[in-house]
Amino acid sequence: MQETLRLGLYAIPAFLLLMAVEFIGYHREKEPKADRAGVSVRDTATSLSIYAIGQLTKPLNHVIQLPVVVIAAAFAPHTLSSSDWRVWVAALVLADLAYYAQHRMDHRIRLLWAGHSVHHSSRHFNLSTAVRLPWLIPGSFLTAVVDVPLALIGIPAWMIFLAHSIVLLFQYPIHTERVDRLPRPIEFVFNTPSHHRVHHGANNPYLDKNYGGILIVWDRMFGSYAEEAETVRYGLTTNINTHNPLKANYHEFAGMVRDIRRARTWRGRAGYLFGPPGWREAEAAVRPGRTAAPASGTVVPTPASGPGDERGAAMPTGREDKDAVPV
């Protein structure tokens, strides 16, 4: 754990330097591209404040996740040697696969989406977006379960957490619009800025695609890959339109709690907690092949913009940040 924390601290100066270089590059560009979101001073400040406050709560998330991995490691028949380079390769590849599974769960289980949604709440896509991370992650013990196989085969717990930190650090520089497509062999194997722009898209066919951390091959293997084609519109399909870091972190959690309180059945409450974003108790009650008639005075919602996605109506195309720098 100390190695993980030390790695994060060493990375902060590099984060800030690259962020400054990107920001200057946007302002010095002579011919801005209209299909880019650019940068916003207020949006960047929101992301940085979220990151700063998150450093205070980060240890609490480790307290939740650490016991799951440590207990699993205690049942391993043997412990692999950290002096063997093959163990490091296996740890990194398997941690990346575990990250893919965790990330997919973050998007498909509403309890987890309630935490992860803050990372997608910015309507811009730049290096500051990369550090817009949740403070306390509801249900983080669920995602820790995917690390159990790594611990059971003998990978030391500290190495698992360090490998996850490397996976996260890899993704920092790919949060940018300033890097176009990379050579095809790289695009085929690795997660790139192009692939990750797709992941942050709020428009179809980009919703819930490209979950990979370092490798994009997992998405190609498991059917969640999408190529960058049309212009990407960033943010949530229903944007929160706030620069308040507290609201940005907990707006979805508050919405989930409201839905649970209004649910009429235990099945409904469980659905709002563990179902995908967009799950509706009334819709789930309708049997296949039957159409439920809306009650008198009921407003029938428009279909979500993606399969199983609650994130609401289509996102408006206009940008609301007055201090945004288009590129």
Side-chain angles (χ1 to χ4, degrees):
M1 291 302 296
Q2 291 181 347
E3 291 82 359
T4 300
L5 294 174
R6 191 178 298 117
L7 184 62
L9 290 175
Y10 289 160
I12 292 176
F15 287 174
L16 296 175
L17 177 61
L18 290 174
M19 210 176 296
V21 170
E22 181 187 48
F23 192 84
I24 293 171
Y26 277 133
H27 282 271
R28 296 184 64 180
E29 197 168 44
K30 294 181 180 179
E31 297 182 2
K33 295 183 179 180
D35 61 344
R36 291 181 180 175
V39 295
S40 160
V41 174
R42 292 184 67 191
D43 185 80
T44 298
T46 301
S47 296
L48 292 178
S49 64
I50 289 173
Y51 176 76
I53 298 172
Q55 296 311 295
L56 302 176
T57 61
K58 191 174 183 180
L60 295 177
N61 288 319
H62 288 315
V63 168
I64 297 172
Q65 296 173 320
L66 184 62
V68 177
V69 180
V70 171
I71 292 173
F75 286 93
H78 61 275
T79 302
L80 300 175
S81 174
S82 60
S83 62
D84 188 338
W85 66 270
R86 293 170 297 183
V87 176
W88 282 96
V89 172
L92 190 57
V93 172
L94 291 177
D96 194 56
L97 176 58
Y99 173 83
Y100 170 87
Q102 291 174 343
H103 199 180
R104 191 161 183 163
M105 290 168 66
D106 284 340
H107 281 253
R108 305 309 300 152
I109 298 175
R110 193 177 181 190
L111 175 63
L112 302 180
W113 173 249
H116 186 64
S117 62
V118 63
H119 184 62
H120 288 261
S121 62
S122 174
R123 297 178 66 181
H124 300 267
F125 187 75
N126 50 62
L127 294 177
S128 71
T129 310
V131 299
R132 186 182 282 234
L133 301 170
W135 294 339
L136 291 175
I137 307 174
S140 57
F141 63 93
L142 294 176
T143 57
V145 171
V146 301
D147 289 323
V148 169
L150 282 71
L152 291 178
I153 65 175
I155 298 176
W158 67 267
M159 189 181 290
I160 294 173
F161 283 100
L162 182 58
H164 272 295
S165 295
I166 295 172
V167 172
L168 291 175
L169 286 175
F170 176 90
Q171 294 176 70
Y172 176 77
I174 65 175
H175 284 79
T176 184
E177 294 178 298
R178 297 194 62 80
V179 177
D180 205 350
R181 301 289 181 90
L182 298 176
R184 290 185 65 182
I186 296 177
E187 292 281 342
F188 187 82
V189 177
F190 295 99
N191 196 7
T192 66
S194 176
H195 296 324
H196 209 58
R197 287 193 290 269
V198 166
H199 177 69
H200 276 256
N203 49 314
N204 273 323
Y206 298 151
L207 284 172
D208 298 329
K209 299 294 183 181
N210 296 3
Y211 298 112
I214 295 177
L215 302 175
I216 201 67
V217 293
W218 309 125
D219 290 282
R220 296 183 186 276
M221 290 171 58
F222 300 120
S224 54
Y225 174 75
E227 193 83 14
E228 184 180 21
E230 62 188 67
T231 300
V232 182
R233 292 186 277 114
Y234 305 107
L236 306 172
T237 53
T238 297
N239 285 297
I240 55 177
N241 296 321
T242 180
H243 294 285
N244 184 318
L246 182 64
K247 292 181 179 179
N249 257 277
Y250 294 117
H251 77 282
E252 176 60 26
F253 185 79
M256 180 186 70
V257 171
R258 283 195 301 269
D259 285 340
I260 292 173
R261 292 179 62 184
R262 294 169 183 171
R264 299 179 179 179
T265 64
W266 282 106
R267 180 189 179 191
R269 297 182 185 99
Y272 286 127
L273 194 63
F274 299 110
W279 188 90
R280 287 286 179 266
E281 184 178 26
E283 295 173 5
V286 179
R287 288 181 292 176
R290 302 286 292 275
T291 303
S296 177
T298 300
V299 177
V300 181
T302 56
S305 54
D309 186 22
E310 183 214 21
R311 287 159 274 189
M315 179 175 138
T317 57
R319 305 280 175 191
E320 295 186 1
D321 289 315
K322 296 180 180 179
D323 59 340
V325 180
V327 279

